[in-house]
Amino acid sequence: MMTPMRYWYLRHGETDWNKQGLSQGRTDIPLNATGLAQAEAAGELLTGRAAGALRIDRIVSSPLMRALRTAEVAADALERVGPRPSLTVDQGLEEVCFGEQEGQSMGAWYDDWIAGHYTPPGAEPFMLLRDRAVEAVNRALGGPGTVMIVAHGALFRALRSAMHLPANVRLPNATPLVAEPPAITGTPWKLTVVS
């Protein structure tokens, strides 16, 4: 169960594998030039929006380089308008392991994986990803102040499922959003994309 606290979420910027429509999973692919520009644009958005009650005090990132670099760029931008948020990593925020599908084109199997009907050989089942993602976010929410999670697309789909939202909705690269818990437990969370 998700800790009912507001938090920020930022998916990493684009990589070459994103651009080519390939499954990345745990393969540690860096940001490409577009992804770095996207991370910088997200940082600029955050400097204007992450103020007052929405101020980001801490950033917790996946250790994979595409997410960690996005988190560093965001922290640099936020430091220009206030105290630099602390930045830590949590292994639990790593992207799902897609097993033999890593480096392959995304295909029809993806919907079945989310539904729990199929898991590629060597891959992590969707429900295990969901449990791991919720545990990692709950750890992050246990610290002081407002936190921003910087991680991945499939991991966010798992969090959407835990927040009682349709899971198979794509979050564009480097799109910051605020997740707010519902007033009634067990009902959908509110997600607000910052633009």
Side-chain angles (χ1 to χ4, degrees):
M1 182 179 197
M2 294 277 299
T3 300
M5 291 179 65
R6 179 176 55 214
Y7 67 95
W8 284 87
Y9 192 91
L10 178 62
R11 182 183 175 207
H12 63 79
E14 183 187 83
T15 69
D16 285 343
W17 281 20
N18 287 142
K19 185 176 182 178
Q20 296 167 30
L22 303 178
S23 302
Q24 290 179 111
R26 296 261 175 88
T27 304
D28 206 1
I29 306 296
L31 297 178
N32 60 22
T34 298
L36 186 55
Q38 289 172 335
E40 290 168 352
E44 289 305 312
L45 275 175
L46 291 168
T47 63
R49 300 289 195 270
L54 291 176
R55 185 185 74 167
I56 297 168
D57 301 295
R58 297 177 300 110
I59 300 173
V60 182
S61 176
S62 159
L64 297 178
M65 71 175 95
R66 59 192 183 265
L68 187 54
R69 183 68 186 122
T70 301
E72 290 167 345
V73 169
D76 289 347
L78 289 166
E79 187 176 27
R80 292 195 299 270
V81 295
R84 182 183 179 84
S86 64
L87 173 56
T88 58
V89 298
D90 187 321
Q91 292 291 130
L93 294 173
E94 279 185 326
E95 182 60 298
V96 65
C97 175
F98 278 133
E100 70 179 24
Q101 286 295 332
E102 292 193 15
Q104 304 300 313
S105 295
M106 299 298 287
W109 63 269
Y110 196 79
D111 293 338
D112 286 337
W113 170 71
I114 288 175
H117 303 309
Y118 169 76
T119 299
E124 182 178 17
F126 184 76
M127 290 309 294
L128 289 181
L129 169 64
R130 177 183 155 160
D131 292 346
R132 175 171 61 81
V134 167
E135 288 173 8
V137 170
N138 285 347
R139 279 193 298 273
L141 291 171
T146 301
V147 69
M148 180 168 71
I149 306 296
V150 182
H152 306 276
L155 187 127
F156 191 66
R157 284 177 165 95
L159 290 173
R160 286 183 60 92
S161 172
M163 293 185 288
H164 305 284
L165 295 164
N168 202 2
V169 175
R170 184 178 184 277
L171 177 63
N173 291 101
T175 299
L177 61 80
V178 176
E180 298 180 79
I184 301 170
T185 302
T187 60
W189 286 52
K190 178 183 175 186
L191 302 180
T192 304
V193 172
V194 173
S195 57

